[in-house]
Amino acid sequence: MTRIYFNEVVTRDGFQIEPNFIPTDDKVKLINELSACGYAKIEVTSFTSPKAIPMLRDAEEVMGRIVRVPGVEYTVLVPNLRGAERALESEADEFNLVMSTSETHNLANLRMTREKSFTGLAEVIGYVNGKTPINVSLSTSFGCPMEGAISQKVVEEFVQRFADLGVRGVTICDTTGMANPIQVARMVDSIQKKFEYLQLTLHFHNTRGMGLANLLAAVQGGITRFDGSLGGLGGCPYAPGASGNICSEDAIHMLDSMGYITGINITRLVNLARELPIIVGHPVPGQIAKAGCVSDLHPTPSYVYDLC
Ligand code: COA
Ligand code: ZN
């Protein structure tokens, strides 16, 4: 059966929108526990401006203190040259550059036009010069909450331009949960044919309840790499009404049930997800942590035996 690779983004995409600062000790502990679950990759933090994302102002300290497990890649979000310098110092295994395929969302999130972003990221890629593998996350690729539809052609043009710069991978992001499964099937069919040499990842949000349906459409279309967030936390601070990423344990539980190989210890992961509301101080959207796995059977009530 097919191997599916998960990138856990809770401490980056998940935490960046949280209102109350999560102590560095809690972040380090959670990442270390996630490392023991069997993830292919963990997006640890972001080297963004601490004024823009105060929650992740401890990026250096977190990267310095986590215990790196061989076989797990520790990636970080890098928005600009300053971020790349900091990420190189921290010896991250991969840099995840980010820009939007929507002009309006790019202006809102990164405060510059797409062309300026592209030029800046091209500079970052030149500066890194092959020392660290680069992934580029293309936000709002299935729709922008301000502009509406984003044409697949525009998305593919950006993928091509980054591929031409020699990046290892591209993540196609549904930043605000606007994708539907038919659209996903069309997108993944096309990009896999055009960019079979790239490591392609899909990043879904469950803002409108379509997250797992979209994941399944992508899996059935041949995609094997996904981002997910523990508990379904997450959201873009610059997208009105944005809410959580697809919930890692719900997605992994679904794929496990279907016979896909995720390499992740679901019991361990669900136990971790149950600790998350204590860390963030509020309930989280994930469902498996509440309901248990399909294999967690309940005792039969005694009156049932009396009826037999
Ligand atoms: N790391 C640390 N500090 C940074 C930085 C980085 N990567 N990039 C910029 N800064 C600092 C500058 O040093 C400057 O500090 P100062 O005011 O003390 O001089 C300040 O931030 C402003 O710098 P400027 O170059 O004008 O950048 P900006 O304010 O236009 O910020 C971004 C641009 C993209 C770096 C910033 O908006 C950002 O980090 N946004 C977060 C994007 C994000 O992560 N979104 C969610 C994920 S998709
Ligand atoms: Zn996201």
Side-chain angles (χ1 to χ4, degrees):
M1 202 59 175
T2 314
R3 171 80 156 94
I4 306 289
Y5 301 87
F6 262 87
N7 174 27
E8 175 57 59
V9 302
V10 66
T11 54
R12 201 282 296 169
D13 209 349
F15 283 0
Q16 73 185 6
I17 202 171
E18 286 298 319
N20 301 317
F21 187 74
I22 294 166
T24 309
D25 284 351
D26 289 356
K27 290 173 182 151
V28 171
K29 182 167 175 279
L30 178 59
I31 293 159
N32 287 345
E33 287 169 343
L34 288 166
S35 288
C37 288
Y39 279 99
K41 210 191 267 190
I42 298 175
E43 188 166 40
V44 174
T45 186
S46 72
F47 286 99
T48 41
S49 154
K51 278 184 205 142
I53 312 277
M55 171 61 87
L56 303 178
R57 62 178 184 255
D58 55 2
E60 274 85 356
E61 194 183 345
V62 172
M63 281 299 284
R65 285 180 50 195
I66 55 169
V67 179
R68 299 198 194 186
V69 171
V72 183
E73 267 196 281
Y74 296 90
T75 187
V76 293
L77 187 141
V78 167
N80 57 11
L81 216 45
R82 176 78 194 100
E85 286 165 4
R86 296 172 61 204
L88 270 180
E89 280 273 299
S90 289
E91 298 181 356
D93 296 326
E94 181 196 72
F95 296 174
N96 183 26
L97 314 188
V98 60
M99 67 168 285
S100 296
T101 52
S102 145
E103 185 76 350
T104 315
H105 186 264
N106 205 67
L107 285 164
N109 186 26
L110 301 170
R111 313 204 181 269
M112 56 184 110
T113 62
R114 287 173 301 178
E115 276 317 308
K116 190 151 181 244
S117 269
F118 181 81
T119 308
L121 297 183
E123 254 181 79
V124 171
I125 295 165
Y127 170 78
V128 175
N129 194 21
K131 287 193 276 290
T132 305
I134 303 247
N135 184 77
V136 178
S137 285
L138 294 174
S139 307
T140 65
S141 287
F142 294 95
C144 165
M146 292 158 283
E147 271 182 37
I150 299 293
S151 97
Q152 192 171 308
K153 187 165 165 281
V154 168
V155 176
E156 289 179 359
E157 277 165 8
F158 277 110
V159 177
Q160 185 67 62
R161 291 172 76 186
F162 282 110
D164 292 344
L165 295 176
V167 304
R168 176 177 71 170
V170 170
T171 302
I172 309 292
C173 303
D174 183 26
T175 310
T176 62
M178 292 175 73
N180 67 65
I182 299 278
Q183 188 188 8
V184 170
R186 200 167 48 228
M187 173 81 86
V188 303
D189 179 54
S190 176
I191 56 170
Q192 283 178 113
K193 282 183 187 136
K194 290 185 179 134
F195 306 103
E196 56 181 359
Y197 53 94
L198 282 182
Q199 199 178 84
L200 293 170
T201 303
L202 270 285
H203 175 113
F204 294 117
H205 281 252
N206 196 37
T207 320
R208 294 176 178 80
M210 293 187 275
L212 289 193
N214 288 331
L215 169 102
L216 189 58
V219 168
Q220 289 175 337
I223 295 291
T224 58
R225 292 176 189 275
F226 294 93
D227 290 353
S229 179
L230 192 72
L233 277 190
C236 172
Y238 303 98
S243 64
N245 290 67
I246 54 164
C247 170
S248 298
E249 64 275 17
D250 290 3
I252 289 159
H253 172 268
M254 181 183 85
L255 292 169
D256 282 354
S257 313
M258 295 174 76
Y260 288 97
I261 297 160
T262 59
I264 291 173
N265 182 328
I266 187 71
T267 309
R268 214 167 181 154
L269 191 63
V270 171
N271 287 338
L272 258 188
R274 287 178 176 147
E275 290 171 22
L276 197 56
I278 301 160
I279 298 172
V280 295
H282 59 78
V284 298
Q287 289 176 269
I288 291 298
K290 292 163 197 145
C293 299
V294 286
S295 53
D296 300 339
L297 300 183
H298 299 274
T300 308
S302 55
Y303 63 81
V304 170
Y305 296 110
D306 298 340
L307 296 170
C308 297

